[in-house]
Amino acid sequence: MPYKHKIAEQIAQVVNLDLATVTKMLETPKDQKMGDLAFPCFQLAKTLRKAPPVIAADVAAQLTPALQEAGVPVSNLQVVGAYINFFLDQQAVARDVITAVLTQGENYGAQDLGGGAHVTIDLSSPNIAKPFSMGHLRSTVIGNALANLLEKMNYSPVRINHLGDWGTQFGKLIVAYKLWGSEEAVRENPIPELLRLYIKFHEEAKAHPELEDQGREWFKKLEDGDADAEQLWQWFRDESLQEFNKTYELMGIKFDSLHGEAFYNDKMDRVVNELEAKGLLVEDEGAMVVKLDEYDMPPCLIKKSDGATLYATRDLAAALYRQDTYKFTKALYVVGNEQRLHFRQVFKVLEKMGYEWAQEMHHIPFGMMLKDGKKMSTRKGKVILLDEVLQTAVDDVKKVIAEKNPQLENQDKVTEQVGVGAIIFHDLKNYRMNDINFSWEEMLTFEGETGPYVQYTHARANSILRKAGYVENTAVTLPEGALEGPESWAVVTLLLNFPHVIKRAADEFDPSVLGKYIIDLAQAFNKFYANVRVLAEDEAVKQARLQLVAATAIALKEGLRLLGLEAPAEM
């Protein structure tokens, strides 16, 4: 059903341009009265040496029989100035689209672009012994949605939670625990207690700077394999993961790998040795670096003057390990925008090492989650905990459902699906590069452009089908007038675009492309339902309209699933 492609093929033959150029030139008019597609002829004026309106008329005259012969369902061609406007045959298109959605079900929109190849996705990656804050939400939900979208394109995503489980902060935490902590308090409430100790360390260190030295000493012990330090580190890690997993479970997110920073401790020598062997490692003010002058970038630090390795060394080791393990076609790093330079440096170092696959490594940056317009800080205790936000959202939904639909079955499950969905969707409907200001009011509003609105629309479509006693039927026949009118056509054209939207969201690594689309589809469907009598007296007309409702429900459910949301059948 790629009508745009078929129309572009016919235009390309008539105007003697390549298919890619014609496809780019084809536009979708903002006003439906101007057709479903439009082709501007201004660009042809130079080569054909005619006025664009004359060219448009000539091309249209040749296209009419060509389109008919090729079986492209165009009901009308109009020349308006320099534009050729194409009006699709609404009956034929509606029949094709609804048939495709009902036949393919949740597979509608799937495309074999990846051939099953692996794509590693570095996402979430919270710091051990610190709370899972709203600041971590973005990497988690964007990364998970991208994994789902790429899976739809027949890639095999490898979801990697590159945990922040190494570094000087663990030395500080060990010091804080030994001075002010208790095993009982940590076991009872792991993350809040470890956070309290972490914050207390920084407060006390202002008056007692020697604490910083003690923190560094304990981290050195940890690096050297001290049994006491290792035991505490492992315990902090296990307790933290147990807590994190509750949040991941609530959000329906699973990982294929939990290898964090510590996993690469014994894999960094390989990087240093290889860089030395390839003559890429040079000394700079006592440190060992890889120069990147030719890319107008500062040098990439590999080893500090005291011999300690850095984040870049670790990320290089991780990239080599992942390529060896997964043979990835692409590697994505869903990490905040402030790390842009770091990843540019890492990718260029890998290229200089001679690894061609480095060209398929992509940093997927995103804006910050702000509180009162400012970045959140764990160290200063200015943090909003994600599990608290999720629980508050669930509690709010519970109140609404208890009031509006107290007889609803599986109330607890549905309130969880809608509450969690509200938080995820609030993030993913925004272009990922935009900063998002944390706001209870905006996040938990269940009207307008929200997850609950889309979920409710899906539930409403299912309710219509249940009440009508609809029986699944993939044989679509459209009686005259069954789906005429702008409201029906708006839904049909959006369903037609579903595969294109998914591909674009995957290509651009931007789930908001799909987020905006399902809002549009939900709004178009509600307008259709408000203006068209679905349960018509004529049985054939009623059946056709119910099939459009069923197709919409399928697309909404699959769109929500790709973004990481559930789609309750009742609300």
Side-chain angles (χ1 to χ4, degrees), residues 162-173:
H162 187 76
L163 297 163
D165 60 1
W166 203 247
T168 316
Q169 72 265 29
F170 290 99
K172 295 176 181 180
L173 198 56

Side-chain angles (χ1 to χ4, degrees), residues 9 17 38-39 70 95 114 150 166 173 233 248 373 399 442 451 455 490 498 541 554 556:
E9 280 181 333
L17 280 174
F39 182 72
R95 187 174 57 247
L150 288 164
W166 203 247
L173 198 56
W233 171 80
Y248 289 132
K399 288 174 199 164
E442 195 180 336
Q455 288 171 314
F498 187 59
V541 171
I554 288 168
L556 287 173

Side-chain angles (χ1 to χ4, degrees), residues 1 16 60 232 235 265 270 320 340 350 367 425 491 514 550:
M1 285 182 315
N16 201 21
L232 283 172
W235 180 44
N265 284 342
R270 172 190 171 183
L320 295 173
R340 188 184 289 267
L350 286 164
F425 194 82
V491 177
L514 178 57

Side-chain angles (χ1 to χ4, degrees), residues 125-302:
S125 311
N127 290 319
I128 290 298
K130 289 185 186 176
F132 201 134
S133 76
M134 283 299 288
H136 293 108
L137 174 73
R138 303 219 66 195
S139 171
T140 307
V141 298
I142 293 169
N144 186 58
L146 290 179
N148 292 338
L149 285 161
L150 288 164
E151 205 162 28
K152 189 84 171 171
M153 298 289 102
N154 198 23
Y155 287 95
S156 295
V158 182
R159 296 168 173 85
I160 300 172
N161 197 347
H162 187 76
L163 297 163
D165 60 1
W166 203 247
T168 316
Q169 72 265 29
F170 290 99
K172 295 176 181 180
L173 198 56
I174 290 169
V175 172
Y177 175 73
K178 285 185 171 289
L179 287 173
W180 312 295
S182 82
E183 183 176 339
E184 189 185 347
V186 173
R187 289 202 187 280
E188 198 174 312
N189 221 352
I191 300 289
E193 177 59 14
L194 292 171
L195 174 63
R196 183 189 73 79
L197 293 171
Y198 186 73
I199 292 168
K200 186 172 175 65
F201 178 92
H202 285 281
E203 285 170 351
E204 293 289 333
K206 288 174 191 170
H208 305 282
E210 66 274 11
L211 285 170
E212 294 281 359
D213 295 328
Q214 290 177 36
R216 279 189 285 274
E217 283 166 21
W218 269 102
F219 180 56
K220 182 75 170 65
K221 286 183 183 181
L222 181 59
E223 285 191 302
D224 294 341
D226 176 88
D228 189 15
E230 273 195 344
Q231 184 268 323
L232 283 172
W233 171 80
Q234 189 65 52
W235 180 44
F236 294 158
R237 189 183 192 274
D238 292 346
E239 292 288 350
S240 299
L241 263 179
Q242 222 170 330
E243 289 301 298
F244 290 162
N245 284 336
K246 292 175 190 173
T247 304
Y248 289 132
E249 202 174 318
L250 188 59
M251 295 169 74
I253 292 172
K254 293 188 170 82
F255 295 96
D256 303 295
S257 165
L258 291 171
H259 291 326
E261 292 173 21
F263 178 77
Y264 298 101
N265 284 342
D266 62 353
K267 296 171 180 58
M268 289 186 284
D269 284 348
R270 172 190 171 183
V271 174
V272 176
N273 295 338
E274 195 173 323
L275 287 169
E276 278 178 340
K278 291 178 175 174
L280 294 171
L281 208 57
V282 297
E283 193 177 328
D284 187 5
E285 296 180 15
M288 301 306 289
V289 305
V290 175
K291 294 275 192 182
L292 297 170
D293 298 351
E294 66 269 44
Y295 304 111
D296 293 322
M297 277 190 262
C300 182
L301 277 120
I302 302 298

Side-chain angles (χ1 to χ4, degrees), residues 82-128:
Y83 284 85
I84 306 169
N85 295 336
F86 298 83
F87 293 81
L88 294 172
D89 181 333
Q90 295 187 4
Q91 285 281 104
V93 171
R95 187 174 57 247
D96 288 352
V97 170
I98 297 169
T99 301
V101 180
L102 296 182
T103 305
Q104 294 169 37
E106 63 186 22
N107 291 321
Y108 181 61
Q111 294 154 70
D112 185 11
L113 297 179
H118 284 116
V119 177
T120 57
I121 305 176
D122 198 316
L123 70 150
S124 195
S125 311
N127 290 319
I128 290 298

Side-chain angles (χ1 to χ4, degrees), residues 138 141-146 149 364-366 424-434 436 449 454 501-502 504-521 559 562-565:
R138 303 219 66 195
V141 298
I142 293 169
N144 186 58
L146 290 179
L149 285 161
I364 313 300
F366 51 85
I424 295 174
F425 194 82
H426 175 74
D427 190 303
L428 296 181
K429 73 176 184 182
N430 290 289
Y431 173 51
R432 63 175 162 80
M433 288 306 296
N434 293 347
I436 299 177
E449 298 182 352
V454 179
V501 167
I502 293 171
R504 197 182 131 215
D507 286 348
E508 296 176 12
F509 304 126
D510 183 17
S512 75
V513 171
L514 178 57
K516 292 183 180 81
Y517 166 87
I518 58 174
I519 290 169
D520 290 344
L521 179 58
L562 290 169
L563 291 178
L565 281 79

